[in-house]
Amino acid sequence: MSTAAAPVPEQQAARPAPAAPSSSPGRRVLRRRAGRTGQYAALLCYLVFLAFPLLWLVSTAFKSPRELGSVDPTWLPRHPTLGNFRTALDEQPLLHAALNSLLVAGAAALVSVAVAVPASYAMVRFRGAVSRAGTGWILVSQMFPLVLIIIPLFMVLKNLHLIDSRPGLVVVYVVWTLPFVLWMLQSYVRAVPVSLEEAAAIDGCGRWRTLRSVVLPLLAPGLVATLMFAFVTAWNEFFFALVLLKTPEKQTMSVILTHFTGAEGAADLGPLAAAALLATIPSLVFFALLQKRLVGGMLSGAVKG
Amino acid sequence: MLGLDRDAWFLLLPALIPVLVLSVGPLVYGMALAFTDAQSGVTRSTSFTGLDNFADLRLDSLFWDSFRIGLVWAVCVTALQLLLSLGLALLLNQNLRFRWLARTLALVPWAMPEVVVGIMWRLVYNPDAGILNNTLRHLHLTSGHTDWLSSLTLALPAVIVVGVWAGMPQTTVVLLAGLQNVPVELHEAAGIDGAGLWRRFTHVTWPAIRPVVLSITALNFIWNFNSFGLVFVLTSGGPGGKTRLPMLFAYEEAFRYGQYGYAAAMGLVMIAVIAVLLTVFLRNRLKEADQ
């Protein structure tokens, strides 16, 4: 691929060239230029489509109730105000909900990763019926509609008195995030060279010692990324929280947010936007940290063999 | 390897137990429930009713309406997601300025809670204070008083747009990863041989990313068919059930009316249909690949 720093003089020289045969360099450069313009136009369309709802959310969050009632809304708030955030915090127990979300998502992510580390190691290093069944389950678990899981789970948790309880939700989230956590961790484990483990074994390390002092340190960056991903997934989750938590004091952020959109939701656009914005901050922060790992290949540079 | 199978079991156990108890177990239990008359808040014991639930389902026109809406939604969202994400991924794979901005923006929807995405688009679609109507009014395209989410004809398309917006990032990232594995030399060679952009795409890029496209499309379809939160927040299935996806229908049946057995039967039908569709889709595509 040629880069953005295309040879400028060539382009300038090409402009007056007559459009003769199709293979003439002038025609080609013109066409490439048109292509570039087209590409930028397309990119602009994407940027607009992706950004405008976000900008509108931010803009609405900073508008005064009077401005929100006006017929001709503007992109920029005429008199930016933090009033909506204050109202949102007063109206609904947002901070308490955030704490609930933090506890539930944090605990779920920690347990899920802790449980998945040995399992993913086993699935990568011991190829057998068990690991094949594990991989199969990871794929199949994506296929099942949540209703089919939630109804029996609801009945089981009810018998264990874990309905309407945060520990109950943690347990559900652990199981729910496991497939993806296992999937992600396996790719990190695969990147750890077997030769390192063999060298450790020759040096007299037992299996557990090897795991602890050789494999785990090499997995650390991957572990952090997986933890963050599991946290964001649990923080954003809605369906299980909606079904399992009934008491407002126990509800997580996602569920509390829907209380703003009641029958009279239209009257409360400002606080709604403000609360939605607040609920997004933790996920956005983690995603900003994760961005490189998600876009650039997940494994590059994780291990220097 | 130097492995003993006993060790493997030991390592797998901490993950295996919760999965068996809370995923595989309930799943089997849930499937069994589909053949019973289980209800909430009923004191008499649940009894086995064979295929009664399915017989009822067959005649339940509301369910089939919802099912049809679910299929339209899943097919449209998946197809548009693929198309738009492929375009975006191809652009991001070029050396364009502002690429970083597009990359960042393309990830944001992924990081946002479903509920927030729903709320945000409600603000956009708001008939009075929403930016969409306002823009259309300024461009003199419509009178600008469309109530997008309450219109019988527009609600489903409006919701589909949100679905596409929310699902694009993941697809784009996966496709971009696929594109980055396409060898640059092949592209250059094809260019030297005089292949234009389109030919280079169909002959070099597409064959290379095909497996990735297939798997992400299949996954997207499943995810979309089973999606719940977005539409729940946007319309709660309204107006008049025009956006009631099967998951919303089953949710209401189970947790508003307490018909556990019946809702489980719906879930089972959903799986069956997904499985059949996927088999057909993947088999046809794999056959094409063989030729």
Side-chain angles (χ1 to χ4, degrees):
Chain A
M1 276 289 100
S2 74
T3 62
V8 180
E10 194 192 329
Q11 279 181 8
Q12 280 166 350
R15 196 178 291 159
S22 68
S23 60
S24 89
R27 176 91 170 251
R28 209 182 299 158
V29 168
L30 271 181
R31 250 174 60 186
R32 165 175 286 181
R33 251 198 183 170
R36 262 287 130 100
T37 319
Q39 284 177 344
Y40 275 110
L43 192 67
L44 186 70
C45 290
Y46 275 112
L47 284 178
V48 169
F49 177 59
L50 288 169
F52 90 95
L54 296 168
L55 293 177
W56 190 242
L57 177 71
V58 177
S59 154
T60 309
F62 287 101
K63 280 178 181 168
S64 66
R66 206 160 55 84
E67 201 181 336
L68 283 169
S70 87
V71 245
D72 203 22
T74 50
W75 272 106
L76 284 177
R78 288 188 202 103
H79 310 286
T81 163
L82 288 174
N84 291 325
F85 291 89
R86 218 169 296 130
T87 320
L89 290 171
D90 287 345
E91 260 177 33
Q92 299 286 347
L94 275 187
L95 288 178
H96 197 76
L99 188 68
N100 285 341
S101 281
L102 192 72
L103 287 176
V104 170
L110 279 174
V111 175
S112 178
V113 171
V115 160
V117 169
S120 56
Y121 177 81
M123 284 172 76
V124 172
R125 290 287 190 256
F126 309 87
R127 292 166 184 287
V130 186
S131 20
R132 245 176 289 135
T135 315
W137 171 74
I138 290 176
L139 292 173
V140 169
S141 68
Q142 296 297 308
M143 221 172 97
F144 284 89
L146 292 181
V147 233
L148 212 58
I149 314 240
I150 192 70
I151 296 170
L153 204 56
F154 187 85
M155 294 164 84
V156 170
L157 289 175
K158 202 168 187 174
N159 289 335
L160 298 170
H161 300 286
L162 283 173
I163 290 293
D164 200 15
S165 97
R166 281 158 289 191
L169 191 61
V170 171
V171 171
V172 173
Y173 281 173
V174 168
V175 178
W176 184 63
T177 49
L178 253 180
F180 196 83
V181 166
L182 275 174
W183 191 258
M184 234 173 129
L185 278 178
Q186 279 188 58
S187 64
Y188 292 116
V189 172
R190 244 175 252 127
V192 176
V194 180
S195 50
L196 273 185
E197 285 174 55
E198 282 163 353
I202 290 165
D203 289 349
C205 277
R207 156 138 293 135
W208 306 113
R209 181 79 202 281
T210 313
L211 267 179
R212 215 184 53 228
S213 342
V214 178
V215 180
L216 262 187
L218 287 171
L219 278 181
L223 280 182
V224 175
T226 315
L227 260 179
M228 288 200 278
F229 205 87
F231 179 87
V232 173
T233 313
W235 175 280
N236 291 351
E237 207 283 329
F238 173 61
F239 182 69
F240 289 123
L242 175 76
V243 174
L244 293 178
L245 299 174
K246 291 299 167 209
T247 324
E249 291 81 61
K250 292 176 184 164
Q251 283 173 341
T252 53
M253 206 69 175
S254 288
V255 184
I256 287 289
L257 279 178
T258 58
H259 292 271
F260 282 97
T261 66
E264 74 289 13
D268 260 352
L269 293 183
L272 176 64
L277 211 55
L278 289 177
T280 316
I281 293 172
S283 331
L284 274 188
V285 170
F286 275 142
F287 250 69
L289 297 174
L290 274 178
Q291 197 196 347
K292 271 212 187 96
R293 264 166 201 289
L294 287 171
V295 180
M298 279 184 161
L299 306 172
S300 51
V303 180
K304 288 174 199 144
Chain B
M1 264 304 288
L2 15 104
L4 284 162
D5 249 65
R6 201 166 44 90
D7 282 353
W9 277 104
F10 202 73
L11 290 166
L12 281 169
L13 219 52
L16 210 56
I17 290 172
V19 163
L20 284 179
V21 176
L22 290 155
S23 184
V24 178
L27 207 61
V28 175
Y29 186 23
M31 289 186 184
L33 276 177
F35 301 93
T36 69
D37 59 355
Q39 292 180 10
S40 84
V42 178
T43 40
R44 72 176 165 74
S45 62
T46 304
S47 56
F48 180 75
T49 57
L51 295 172
D52 278 9
N53 283 329
F54 296 95
D56 289 346
L57 260 184
R58 212 167 61 84
L59 299 173
D60 188 341
S61 64
L62 282 178
F63 175 68
W64 292 112
D65 280 348
S66 144
F67 210 87
R68 198 178 40 79
I69 291 166
L71 280 183
V72 171
W73 149 274
V75 169
C76 288
V77 173
T78 308
L80 288 172
Q81 258 170 8
L82 177 63
L83 224 65
L84 286 176
S85 303
L86 188 58
L88 183 56
L90 284 171
L91 280 175
L92 292 181
N93 203 32
Q94 304 284 313
N95 226 323
L96 296 176
R97 254 170 270 177
F98 302 111
R99 185 172 62 162
W100 61 271
L101 183 63
R103 273 193 175 185
T104 315
L105 270 178
L107 279 180
V108 170
W110 196 356
M112 291 171 76
E114 261 183 322
V115 177
V116 171
V117 174
I119 288 173
M120 187 178 70
W121 280 88
R122 274 174 68 130
L123 296 174
V124 169
Y125 282 137
N126 190 292
D128 305 314
I131 188 64
L132 187 60
N133 270 346
N134 191 40
T135 311
L136 290 175
R137 196 160 48 223
H138 279 289
L139 296 172
H140 301 288
L141 285 174
T142 66
S143 65
H145 296 290
T146 320
D147 196 349
W148 298 93
L149 295 174
S150 312
S151 149
L152 289 176
T153 47
L154 291 174
L156 188 57
V159 168
I160 287 174
V161 170
V162 181
V164 173
W165 189 90
M168 252 179 68
Q170 218 162 350
T171 318
T172 308
V173 169
V174 171
L175 291 178
L176 192 57
L179 283 177
Q180 280 167 352
N181 288 334
V182 179
V184 182
E185 303 80 43
L186 261 179
H187 251 286
E188 282 167 357
I192 289 167
D193 288 349
L197 263 183
W198 176 248
R199 285 188 57 120
R200 263 186 282 164
F201 176 77
T202 51
H203 283 80
V204 180
T205 313
W206 182 251
I209 60 169
R210 224 184 117 87
V212 180
V213 170
L214 276 188
S215 43
I216 192 67
T217 308
L219 275 176
N220 274 341
F221 181 81
I222 298 171
W223 286 330
N224 289 328
F225 193 76
N226 292 335
S227 87
F228 173 82
L230 263 188
V231 179
F232 182 86
V233 174
L234 278 167
T235 62
S236 325
K242 286 290 179 204
T243 59
R244 184 156 53 202
L245 305 183
M247 263 294 280
L248 277 113
F249 196 86
Y251 165 79
E252 284 179 5
E253 207 58 49
F255 296 104
R256 184 166 298 167
Y257 307 117
Q259 301 290 344
Y260 292 154
Y262 197 50
M266 287 181 188
L268 217 53
V269 171
M270 283 164 70
I271 294 186
V273 171
I274 291 180
V276 169
L277 284 178
L278 278 183
T279 318
V280 172
F281 171 77
L282 289 178
R283 215 185 36 202
N284 282 350
R285 290 309 152 98
L286 291 178
K287 250 189 222 152
E288 277 175 35
D290 285 343
Q291 285 164 5

